[in-house]
Amino acid sequence: MDLSSSILEIKGIGKKIAEKLNKASVFTVEDLLYTLPIRYEDGSVLKDFVHADFDKPATYFVRLVEKKPRRYLKKGLSMQTFVISDGARKGEMTFFNMPYLDRSLKVGEDYYIFGKPKFFRNRLSFSAPKFFDEAKQKEALAVSPVYPVLGGVGQKATARFIQEALRDVFIPPVVPRYLRMRYGLMTEAEALKVLHGPKQLNDAKVALQSLIFSEFLCFQLALGRFHQSKSEAGFSMEKTDLAEVILSKLPFELTEGQKEAWKDIQQDMASPNRMERLVQGDVGSGKTVLAFLAMATCVASGHQALFMAPTEILAKQHYEEAFDLFMPLGVRVELLTGSTKESKKKIIRENFESGICDVIIGTHALFNEDLKSDRIGLTITDEQHRFGVMQREALQEKQSKSDRLIMTATPIPRSLGIVMYGNTKISSIRTMPKGRKAVQTTVINESGLKGAYDFMERFLKSGQQIYVVCPLIEENPDFPLHAAEAVYKYFSEDRFKNYSVGLIHGALSSEEKNAVMEAFQKNEVQILISTTVIEVGVNVVNANLLFVYDADRFGLATLHQLRGRVGRGDQAAYCILHSANDSLKADERLRIMERSNDGFYIAEEDMKLRGGGDFFGTRQSGTVEFRVGDLFENMDIMRYAKVEADAILEGGHLNANEEPDLLKAVEAYEARTRGI
Ligand code: ADP
Ligand code: MG
């Protein structure tokens, strides 16, 4: 068995389970092994009641001294309390809806329990601790990984499958030996073994760093290889008359930041060298119009342009806007997404090849299309940070001489820009269109919820609409977080039953998503509950309140991005960030959002706070998504990876003779991050 084998080869995984795992995008042994624990439960810390730790879960060795009768609370909820003793003091543990415990737990027996006690009615009280029979001491005192629930496969089963796979799989070392020596890293095989079953938590740290280095090295090599393969030469496109017409038709004047960026783009496009430019600017800073101006310049100079947006909704929005601007000028714009009919696609393809069509706006479906034209002069990626870097590269490959413009609403600090974009030039828009109001942001905890709902109600009464964002779709016993489906039920059947509530999430088909979005746009839906799938810039001017549940679970970049959806009209706009996390650090992070509406400032502050931060923090920095690493938290590793990747490429060492395993891994990386 190797990493690319199907999960069906793993003992215990049959068709049914494989189907479930597929739903969570786990297809190969590699996918499964790289499903890393989200955290560990460290059972090795043994405590007694006097030294109880109220902040951290620990193991307690206790005797069951009394069973209290089971109690029935409201609908379908039963509760049972057991009195326990650590030899010196008494305490209790409580379980909900686990009636079978009444029989399986026995008075007079000893158990290891693992949990975080509270002080309740003068006693230590554990709510639903994990427990082990005395005979299972070894298991009880181990460090055990906790996995996410994968497409309905429970985490215990996941742990078992992973151990099975680890026993049989062959994992070649990717990072060359001299680099492992230099940085004190484990091989990928060792690292995976440790991460899935560490003897102590500290081992897991080194193991994780080893995997991150491996991932970043492949990333940097893939990026470097691509840049090497590209020509410096490009087209010289300098006819700006069409762009001038568009400028004169706009109902506004460009802001200072837009003007500067436009000047940069014009210069780059006019030059005979290939343009390689990133425009970064907050949501609402007006990047789209720059894309249109570049498109106009490209078309006026006799070339064709491709514009890729991260979602269908956004592509359609861009298309409609572009259509209105370009049609009267005789420029033919087409929309091509995954849901475009095959027959229509064919026509667009032909029209593009024959030159009848000048511009195609679309989603990633664009680079699956075999578009043949040697007149493509410009590719634009409205990245909204959603595409992996390599996906953008793939679009570029359509025409290696064409200019490239990337737009992102996730400003990254300068220091990061250098490692992530290499030679790409960056224009930053730091001004906002006139009249744009700051979104008033408030952080609330659990006890603030009621007040927040009241505020929402008043808001709805005034005729305005609300976005609600949840971190999960379905409820999950391992994460006591607000799930979109549960919130939808509560809102639509109870708290806001007099209003129309809509639900949208990643598991819906794009038709379903579009239907809900359209209803929201038409104000037929007043409250839109979603996961972050729709974080991209949809424009609903009447929606001026954003409510985020468990905001501490999101990266600040994502929150900032989400917040950009409100405050697009004349009304005052609000953002309420809920968090049940009472750690100081989590609070400090969210307070940055209260303080500022400037994405650049937020990114810098976020990085300061995170620097070397949580071991297993949110692995979602809001920028490029890596499988293991986090760009913000592991920036140092990324720097080293870049230095080493550059050295390997400069020396020409990435070949089948010198580094066969590394080469294979880089190729696999390219395929994986490009594959749709
Ligand atoms: P983003 O940078 O998030 O992509 P958009 O390009 O979608 O921002 O612009 C947001 C809104 O601001 C659009 O409705 C756009 O027409 C408007 N806009 C863009 N530039 C200006 C400007 N200079 N003055 C006023 N409104 C502008
Ligand atoms: Mg945009």
Side-chain angles (χ1 to χ4, degrees):
M1 188 194 300
D2 63 25
L3 286 172
S4 62
S5 306
S6 154
I7 44 173
L8 280 164
E9 290 187 27
I10 298 170
K11 206 176 129 204
I13 299 188
K15 254 208 171 128
K16 263 216 178 109
I17 290 172
E19 248 166 51
K20 287 189 185 174
L21 289 171
N22 289 169
K23 257 198 241 156
S25 299
V26 176
F27 299 94
T28 63
V29 171
E30 177 164 14
D31 296 336
L32 184 69
L33 290 183
Y34 276 87
T35 301
L36 298 181
I38 26 192
R39 65 189 159 85
Y40 292 99
E41 288 184 340
D42 185 1
S44 69
V45 184
L46 196 58
K47 297 232 169 219
D48 58 29
F49 290 173
V50 177
H51 300 98
D53 195 335
F54 292 96
D55 296 322
K56 259 200 237 132
T59 303
Y60 297 80
F61 186 59
V62 300
R63 176 162 297 175
L64 187 65
V65 294
E66 185 193 344
K67 289 183 190 178
K68 297 259 169 107
R70 195 147 14 120
R71 285 172 46 201
Y72 294 90
L73 310 169
K74 58 180 181 186
K75 39 174 169 163
L77 189 64
S78 75
M79 177 184 115
Q80 187 161 20
T81 299
F82 300 88
V83 181
I84 50 181
S85 160
D86 70 344
R89 269 153 231 266
K90 279 187 182 166
E92 56 186 42
M93 55 183 188
T94 307
F95 296 91
F96 294 92
N97 280 357
M98 294 170 84
Y100 47 90
L101 288 185
D102 202 6
R103 244 177 301 141
S104 56
L105 294 180
K106 298 201 169 64
V107 170
E109 299 269 302
D110 292 331
Y111 298 94
Y112 289 95
I113 65 170
F114 177 85
K116 203 163 71 171
K118 283 200 165 66
F119 209 64
F120 185 62
R121 271 184 294 191
N122 250 347
R123 271 182 187 173
L124 279 192
S125 169
F126 294 84
S127 176
K130 276 200 344 188
F131 57 88
F132 302 85
D133 296 344
E134 190 186 2
K136 295 212 168 143
Q137 186 201 34
K138 205 168 144 226
E139 201 179 318
L141 297 182
V143 177
S144 52
V146 178
Y147 293 98
V149 171
L150 293 175
V153 175
Q155 57 132 331
K156 281 222 177 85
T158 302
R160 207 172 57 239
F161 300 143
I162 286 175
Q163 290 306 327
E164 281 297 337
L166 279 174
R167 225 189 318 274
D168 292 340
V169 70
F170 171 71
I171 305 171
V174 169
V175 175
R177 202 179 121 83
Y178 73 93
L179 288 181
R180 271 185 273 129
M181 303 285 284
R182 186 171 296 167
Y183 297 107
L185 304 173
M186 301 176 187
T187 61
E188 288 77 9
E190 283 164 349
L192 284 168
K193 245 178 214 139
V194 168
L195 282 167
H196 289 300
K199 299 235 157 49
Q200 344 161 11
L201 274 184
N202 252 346
D203 299 345
K205 221 171 240 183
V206 180
L208 187 68
Q209 282 170 348
S210 303
L211 286 192
I212 294 173
F213 186 86
S214 172
E215 175 172 45
F216 285 180
L217 185 68
C218 288
F219 165 75
Q220 287 291 350
L221 284 170
L223 196 64
R225 242 153 76 102
F226 180 79
H227 279 294
Q228 272 189 345
S229 74
K230 264 182 336 196
S231 70
E232 285 271 295
F235 300 112
S236 169
M237 296 180 281
E238 48 191 352
K239 284 226 171 70
T240 52
D241 43 337
L242 263 187
E244 294 298 332
V245 177
I246 286 183
L247 273 176
S248 71
K249 290 212 299 188
L250 291 176
F252 49 74
E253 207 192 314
L254 295 187
T255 63
E256 281 312 307
Q258 282 171 315
K259 277 186 194 156
E260 276 168 37
W262 170 222
K263 216 166 83 194
D264 293 341
I265 293 169
Q266 258 174 292
Q267 268 172 12
D268 287 1
M269 288 185 76
S271 124
N273 290 339
R274 233 177 34 75
M275 170 165 78
E276 182 73 48
R277 181 165 293 277
L278 174 83
V279 173
Q280 53 176 8
D282 262 337
V283 176
S285 62
K287 296 183 292 294
T288 317
V289 65
L290 295 173
F292 292 168
L293 292 173
M295 268 157 43
T297 308
C298 169
V299 172
S301 309
H303 288 274
Q304 293 168 301
L306 296 173
F307 184 3
M308 181 163 82
T311 64
E312 290 209 7
I313 296 170
L314 206 60
K316 192 155 165 261
Q317 200 166 296
H318 286 333
Y319 167 73
E320 280 162 4
E321 220 179 306
F323 188 86
D324 291 345
L325 275 173
F326 283 96
M327 247 293 279
L329 303 175
V331 176
R332 177 124 169 209
V333 184
E334 293 283 2
L335 174 69
L336 197 160
T337 68
S339 58
T340 307
K341 285 209 187 71
E342 209 41 62
S343 53
K344 171 92 193 188
K345 275 187 189 168
K346 192 162 163 272
I347 297 174
I348 296 178
R349 237 178 358 238
E350 283 167 9
N351 283 347
F352 195 72
E353 277 165 33
S354 66
I356 294 175
C357 162
D358 304 294
V359 177
I360 308 182
I361 297 179
T363 53
H364 57 250
L366 264 184
F367 60 68
N368 290 341
E369 290 301 321
D370 190 19
L371 297 169
K372 287 191 202 74
S373 168
D374 49 14
R375 284 176 50 226
I376 303 176
L378 174 68
T379 61
I380 305 173
T381 316
D382 190 3
E383 167 199 30
Q384 303 275 7
H385 75 254
R386 272 315 178 109
F387 298 106
V389 172
M390 304 314 286
Q391 282 178 19
R392 296 190 316 241
E393 309 294 3
L395 183 65
Q396 170 72 12
E397 272 175 15
K398 294 271 178 226
Q399 168 55 274
S400 64
K401 275 175 81 184
S402 59
D403 281 358
R404 189 158 79 117
L405 183 64
I406 310 159
M407 306 195 295
T408 174
T410 308
I412 55 176
R414 269 179 67 105
S415 46
L416 263 183
I418 292 160
V419 274
M420 288 308 294
Y421 296 108
N423 301 331
T424 304
K425 294 186 188 120
I426 300 180
S427 302
S428 302
I429 309 181
R430 301 197 68 151
T431 49
M432 290 298 260
K434 266 202 226 64
R436 200 58 51 88
K437 276 179 233 74
V439 179
Q440 245 192 68
T441 302
T442 314
V443 178
I444 62 165
N445 59 19
E446 219 49 29
S447 63
L449 276 178
K450 193 184 163 302
Y453 295 152
D454 292 345
F455 182 79
M456 283 158 75
E457 175 127 40
R458 262 179 286 149
F459 202 81
L460 291 166
K461 278 200 177 126
S462 77
Q464 297 193 64
Q465 292 160 276
I466 301 178
Y467 290 105
V468 175
V469 176
C470 301
L472 302 173
I473 301 176
E474 283 173 71
E475 282 184 321
N476 178 337
D478 281 326
F479 300 98
L481 301 174
H482 289 84
E485 284 178 348
V487 169
Y488 174 73
K489 198 160 180 309
Y490 172 62
F491 276 23
S492 59
E493 292 174 13
D494 187 350
R495 186 64 185 84
F496 295 105
K497 61 171 181 280
N498 297 327
Y499 299 89
S500 159
V501 185
L503 175 65
I504 190 169
H505 54 68
L508 298 179
S509 71
S510 62
E511 285 102 70
E512 288 169 311
K513 275 188 251 180
N514 284 344
V516 181
M517 256 343 282
E518 232 155 77
F520 191 63
Q521 240 144 7
K522 289 186 196 144
N523 200 357
E524 290 161 9
V525 161
Q526 274 104 44
I527 306 178
L528 181 66
I529 298 171
S530 71
T531 52
T532 53
V533 273
I534 52 149
E535 93 192 37
V536 287
V538 285
N539 216 354
V540 180
V541 177
N542 192 43
N544 281 307
L545 172 58
L546 169 77
F547 184 94
V548 185
Y549 280 107
D550 303 301
D552 53 296
R553 290 302 170 125
F554 296 99
L556 290 193
T558 305
L559 289 176
H560 180 62
Q561 184 96 14
L562 285 166
R563 187 168 62 176
R565 280 194 282 162
V566 298
R568 291 176 168 236
D570 307 327
Q571 311 275 0
Y574 304 91
C575 169
I576 302 175
L577 302 175
H578 158 268
S579 160
N581 185 340
D582 48 15
S583 91
L584 207 60
K585 196 163 163 190
D587 188 61
E588 214 180 322
R589 265 183 74 231
L590 291 180
R591 299 283 169 191
I592 297 173
M593 299 293 297
E594 278 189 342
R595 261 200 321 272
S596 174
N597 272 272
D598 178 350
F600 289 91
Y601 173 83
I602 291 171
E604 306 254 333
E605 291 295 300
D606 194 12
M607 202 161 83
K608 268 190 227 156
L609 260 187
R610 290 225 248 169
D614 297 342
F615 177 33
F616 278 95
T618 47
R619 256 190 237 123
Q620 169 212 34
S621 59
T623 48
V624 179
E625 276 177 36
F626 289 101
R627 188 164 63 172
V628 201
D630 176 292
L631 195 49
F632 277 82
E633 278 168 25
N634 313 119
M635 197 173 71
D636 290 341
I637 302 180
M638 183 62 96
R639 282 212 184 96
Y640 287 119
K642 180 173 168 51
V643 169
E644 299 298 350
D646 287 351
I648 291 172
L649 289 176
E650 266 162 40
H653 301 306
L654 188 62
N655 57 55
N657 286 329
E658 288 176 79
E659 299 291 352
D661 291 324
L662 184 58
L663 178 64
K664 257 191 228 146
V666 172
E667 283 167 354
Y669 182 90
E670 288 167 345
R672 192 172 65 239
T673 48
R674 191 173 302 178
I676 292 288

